[in-house]
Amino acid sequence: MSRADTVRFRHNQAILVAAIVAFIGALPLASARWWLLWVLLVPLAVAVWAWRAGTDADARELRLRALVGQRRVPWNRVAELAGDSRGRAMARLDDGEVVMLPAVRATELPRLIAVTGQELPDADRQTGDQ
């Protein structure tokens, strides 16, 4: 599988920029006392999360990535893809479990489905048949 076959969804990179600014802003506080060095871990953790967290999809599976670790969900386990009231995307699995798709908006579901090679039903045909 090539990288071109994978669709990647990531959070807005402005979060990464904000974490870098927060890290720089926390440097004077952290350097004031040795026991304040832990303050630098917060913007560092946010920066790593913003860079790493998200959803990768290819024809075989979904990879849900977090700050640490990832979860792989084969497409044959996905029973339904839907959006919630806040515009986030989620997947209902064949056992009834619902998983949120990090960094995927409900409006991006057609792009996510397209990577599987499946065709989306035509909305005009559906409304015209009724």
Side-chain angles (χ1 to χ4, degrees), residues 3-9 55-58 63 111-112 115:
R3 200 169 167 99
D5 298 336
T6 302
V7 176
R8 297 180 56 180
F9 298 90
T55 300
D56 296 340
D58 58 34
R63 282 180 303 284
R111 193 171 128 214
L112 181 67
V115 76

Side-chain angles (χ1 to χ4, degrees), residues 9 31 38 51 81 83 92 100 125:
F9 298 90
S31 63
W38 67 268
W51 171 71
L81 291 171
R92 184 177 314 279
M100 299 305 293
R125 272 192 318 192

Side-chain angles (χ1 to χ4, degrees), residues 2-81:
S2 72
R3 200 169 167 99
D5 298 336
T6 302
V7 176
R8 297 180 56 180
F9 298 90
R10 294 293 180 266
H11 295 283
N12 191 321
Q13 293 302 299
I15 298 170
L16 180 59
V17 173
I20 292 169
V21 169
F23 184 86
I24 293 168
L27 278 173
L29 176 64
S31 63
R33 299 278 185 253
W34 68 268
W35 48 270
L36 289 174
L37 284 174
W38 67 268
V39 171
L40 295 176
L41 295 177
V42 175
L44 184 63
V46 171
V48 171
W49 172 80
W51 171 71
R52 187 184 187 312
T55 300
D56 296 340
D58 58 34
R60 293 180 302 154
E61 66 186 0
L62 286 166
R63 282 180 303 284
L64 313 174
R65 300 175 64 183
L67 176 62
V68 291
Q70 69 178 355
R71 179 175 181 183
R72 293 175 180 260
V73 179
W75 279 112
N76 61 3
R77 290 221 36 229
V78 176
E80 177 184 6
L81 291 171

Side-chain angles (χ1 to χ4, degrees), residues 113-127:
I113 294 168
V115 76
T116 67
Q118 306 238 347
E119 294 291 325
L120 284 175
D122 187 11
D124 295 334
R125 272 192 318 192
Q126 285 183 352
T127 56

